[in-house]
Amino acid sequence: MKTYQNYAMTDAETRQALADACKQVETNLPLYTYQCQNHSSVNGIYPGCANNQWTCGFWPGEIWLAYEATVDEKFKTAALIQVDSFADRIARKVEVDHHDMGFLYSPTCVAAWKLVGSEKGKNAAIAAADQLLTRYQPSGKFLQAWGTMDDPGNYRYIIDCMLNVPLLYWAAQVTGSDHYREIAAAHTATTLANSFRPDGSTYHTFFMNPDGTPKGGRTCQGYKDDSFWARGQAWGVYGSAIGYTYTHDEKFLDVFRKALAFYLSRLPEDLIPCWDMLFAPESGEPRDSSSAAIVACGLLEAAKYVDEAEAAQWRTLARQMLASLTANYAVKPGTLGSGQLLHGTYSKKSPYNTCTPEGVDECTSWGDYFYMEALTRLTKDWEMYW
Ligand code: GLY
């Protein structure tokens, strides 16, 4: 496996990068304690927003990571204020008719339960898992991503859901109810069967037929249906690592290795992909730094479960990706309203995709969160929020 000797990071540099990221969270606390952070920055600065986007969980996740790193009570206080907001959101069912319950409730409420034993967090996260179960389509065995459940135009799931499913595995553990685990396993089996192409690349979205048979892969946020949307690939990589964590089923590691190999085969020299891996940097297309942060987390999670030679390779790769992010993509702390990582891409319009253009070459809230998660993983044996 290729390694990238230009990028290296000592333990001291890793701790410094995490300290810088915590400082940035501290700088932004006054702005986003009683409101949420928009999904992506606008000209480098995040607008505030109500708790009604699929991305609102990432900023509170950063606050929890800052609390873990510093044990400073101000972070805990602010994170628990966000937990109140998330408990209210699921109780009132505000914008929860979609599958993104894991992205919303794992880094907020599951984290609150794991870190400080918050019963409110635990109950809200279980309610969110129950909400996710309502997205299940028994014919086809998948969690429908978007839209109403009776809309044939929305009869599909997406690769991103690999990071929502862990909420179900977690709910099975804390409630003792196997139903969550069964739905998680059924959805994941459908994803592994259809969403990973033979070469290890991934479809962003996948339509099913009403009779439950697979229909075909289509993109929404990638360049085109048969291209290689970088973040979808990253969700596939990290999601299969977490799938192994919860099931210890070897097929997840097989998928992880294939998806990782494809991702690495398309990486430019600085290890940060363009938003669609169809493109090389010479194309002038923007990068998606968040994909690199997500893949680094996947590498560090999967490395726990393989022999030392393979684990060492994966840890080295993750460290090199983080070294590149820290050197050339990280925001310098102290910029009010900015995030952690520059050069992320949420949704870039192409002639062939169906997305709404948003957040092109900006900070993204999940890029910021996964950058901090990956740095945290390098500094200690971290109990994941997922
Ligand atoms: N659709 C979720 C993402 O942008 O990754």
Side-chain angles (χ1 to χ4, degrees):
M1 189 175 283
K2 192 171 169 186
T3 59
Y4 299 83
Q5 305 305 341
N6 288 342
Y7 292 97
M9 199 174 190
T10 63
D11 287 343
E13 287 165 338
T14 305
R15 284 193 299 275
Q16 186 58 52
L18 183 57
D20 287 348
C22 293
K23 189 80 204 141
Q24 184 62 12
V25 174
E26 185 178 7
T27 299
N28 282 338
L29 269 190
L31 285 181
Y32 318 113
T33 293
Y34 292 98
Q35 63 175 345
C36 294
Q37 210 182 43
N38 198 51
H39 46 69
S40 47
S41 63
V42 177
N43 298 322
I45 304 297
Y46 282 101
C49 70
N51 193 348
N52 59 14
Q53 300 181 355
W54 72 270
T55 51
C56 288
F58 296 114
W59 161 250
E62 287 176 66
I63 304 175
W64 280 126
L65 290 170
Y67 175 62
E68 282 202 61
T70 62
V71 202
D72 185 331
E73 288 289 312
K74 78 160 96 55
F75 293 119
K76 177 177 158 186
T77 303
L80 287 174
I81 290 168
Q82 290 283 347
V83 168
D84 287 344
S85 168
F86 277 79
D88 178 66
R89 178 170 176 176
I90 195 65
R92 293 195 299 117
K93 297 222 183 330
V94 177
E95 298 290 336
V96 291
D97 283 329
H98 55 79
H99 71 149
D100 282 322
M101 295 305 110
F103 282 127
L104 287 169
Y105 282 86
S106 298
T108 52
C109 293
V110 173
W113 163 244
K114 289 187 174 179
L115 293 175
V116 300
S118 164
E119 286 288 330
K120 185 182 247 189
K122 179 175 97 170
N123 292 333
I126 292 169
D130 289 337
Q131 178 67 20
L132 182 52
L133 293 180
T134 70
R135 305 299 299 177
Y136 189 63
Q137 293 284 14
S139 175
K141 299 189 168 66
F142 66 96
L143 294 160
Q144 184 179 312
W146 306 312
T148 59
M149 296 296 282
D150 58 358
D151 175 6
N154 270 308
Y155 204 64
R156 64 173 156 181
Y157 67 89
I158 71 176
I159 188 79
D160 320 33
C161 198
M162 294 287 277
L163 269 285
N164 287 321
V165 162
L167 181 68
L168 298 180
Y169 283 118
W170 170 83
Q173 283 178 347
V174 293
T175 64
S177 163
D178 270 342
H179 187 52
Y180 299 104
R181 189 178 292 110
E182 286 158 10
I183 299 295
H187 173 86
T188 308
T190 305
T191 306
L192 296 196
N194 302 317
S195 299
F196 293 84
R197 303 179 185 118
D199 63 0
S201 67
T202 49
Y203 292 112
H204 179 199
T205 89
F206 201 92
F207 279 96
M208 304 296 282
N209 292 309
D211 68 359
T213 55
K215 185 170 181 186
R218 304 293 295 270
T219 202
C220 171
Q221 287 163 266
Y223 183 74
K224 56 185 181 144
D225 291 342
D226 61 354
S227 69
F228 320 112
W229 182 47
R231 199 161 54 261
Q233 195 69 20
W235 295 138
V237 167
Y238 191 14
S240 49
I242 298 176
Y244 184 82
T245 305
Y246 277 106
T247 64
H248 286 270
D249 182 337
E250 284 295 320
K251 72 172 172 287
F252 285 99
L253 285 180
D254 295 343
V255 169
F256 175 87
R257 289 188 184 94
K258 267 188 96 166
L260 176 67
F262 183 87
Y263 177 83
L264 296 176
S265 75
R266 295 251 158 190
L267 272 190
E269 277 304 308
D270 81 344
L271 293 93
I272 314 300
C274 289
W275 67 283
D276 192 303
M277 299 180 88
L278 185 64
F279 301 115
E282 301 72 55
S283 65
E285 291 286 338
R287 306 292 181 113
D288 178 37
S289 55
S290 75
S291 295
I294 295 162
V295 168
C297 291
L299 285 162
L300 294 170
E301 181 62 18
K304 294 180 190 168
Y305 304 111
V306 294
D307 66 44
E308 199 35 53
E310 197 171 31
Q313 265 189 341
W314 290 352
R315 290 196 183 103
T316 299
L317 269 172
R319 192 175 282 262
Q320 289 168 328
M321 290 172 190
L322 285 164
S324 179
L325 288 172
T326 301
N328 298 320
Y329 292 79
V331 167
K332 301 293 167 240
T335 316
L336 188 65
S338 179
Q340 306 284 359
L341 274 190
L342 303 169
H343 308 304
T345 294
Y346 180 7
S347 290
K348 185 165 189 285
K349 193 80 193 98
S350 87
Y352 312 106
N353 72 18
T354 56
C355 71
T356 306
E358 306 251 32
V360 175
D361 198 16
E362 292 283 352
C363 298
T364 66
S365 56
W366 57 90
D368 297 347
Y369 167 80
F370 286 106
Y371 175 61
M372 283 188 75
E373 182 188 305
L375 290 172
T376 303
R377 283 174 174 276
L378 280 182
T379 60
K380 66 176 185 179
D381 187 13
W382 183 66
E383 186 185 357
M384 66 178 184
Y385 304 159
W386 304 102

